Amino acid sequence: MTPFQSFMCGAGGAALITSVMTVIRWAIERRAAKKDKNSMNIDQRIEKIESDVKELREGDMRALIAGVRSLLYSEIKDRAKTALAAGEVTAEELEDISRKHELYHGPLSGNGYLDTLMDKLRALPVREQRGD
């Protein structure tokens, strides 16, 4: 047996194999640590985004809802008064105004003033198209 073969079969071979295994283990652990660090950063980012969205929902959403409610109120009132002044309403106008009133009164928690106006609007004659 040559000296190299003796070395490889003995303690030197075992040391070489152990060293290679140690390097491989170190590389695997390093990769896992990087992955953990990245996933922790992603988790932190997700947490921050969720926090920002929650703040948006709680603060700005109330303002947005109030603004949309106000816009719908004005739109419904103006369109209904125009139809009342004309003494008639088209089917399309009635459908549009009714849909907006449902949104205003339901999910946006609008008050009941427009209910009276809507009752008057529904009592008008309905035309297919308004005569120009």
Side-chain angles (χ1 to χ4, degrees):
M1 205 186 274
T2 67
F4 178 74
Q5 289 174 334
S6 298
F7 175 77
M8 289 305 289
C9 290
L16 182 63
I17 291 172
T18 301
S19 297
V20 169
M21 292 302 292
T22 300
V23 169
I24 291 171
R25 185 177 301 125
W26 172 81
I28 290 171
E29 288 173 359
R30 183 167 184 249
R31 177 183 275 177
K34 269 186 162 180
K35 198 173 189 179
D36 287 345
K37 182 181 177 186
N38 286 341
S39 98
M40 184 178 2
N41 288 339
I42 290 170
D43 290 343
Q44 289 170 343
R45 287 184 211 148
I46 290 171
E47 216 171 273
K48 172 80 168 103
I49 291 169
E50 286 173 346
S51 171
D52 291 347
V53 168
K54 184 177 179 185
E55 285 179 29
L56 174 68
R57 282 189 200 134
E58 291 173 359
D60 296 340
M61 288 303 285
R62 282 193 295 270
L64 287 172
I65 289 169
V68 170
R69 183 173 44 232
S70 178
L71 290 171
L72 279 176
Y73 176 85
S74 295
E75 172 90 10
I76 294 165
K77 185 176 71 168
D78 292 345
R79 291 186 68 187
K81 285 185 175 184
T82 300
L84 288 169
E88 65 183 17
V89 64
T90 66
E92 184 179 357
E93 287 173 329
L94 184 59
E95 180 185 358
D96 289 347
I97 296 169
S98 294
R99 187 176 318 122
K100 288 177 182 177
H101 179 254
E102 288 173 20
L103 289 170
Y104 169 82
H105 201 27
L108 297 176
S109 304
N111 64 20
Y113 167 73
L114 292 177
D115 291 344
T116 304
L117 197 57
M118 290 301 297
D119 289 341
K120 290 178 184 178
L121 186 67
R122 288 183 185 109
L124 290 177
V126 178
R127 304 277 186 252
E128 279 303 311
Q129 291 184 351
R130 186 176 305 262
D132 292 322

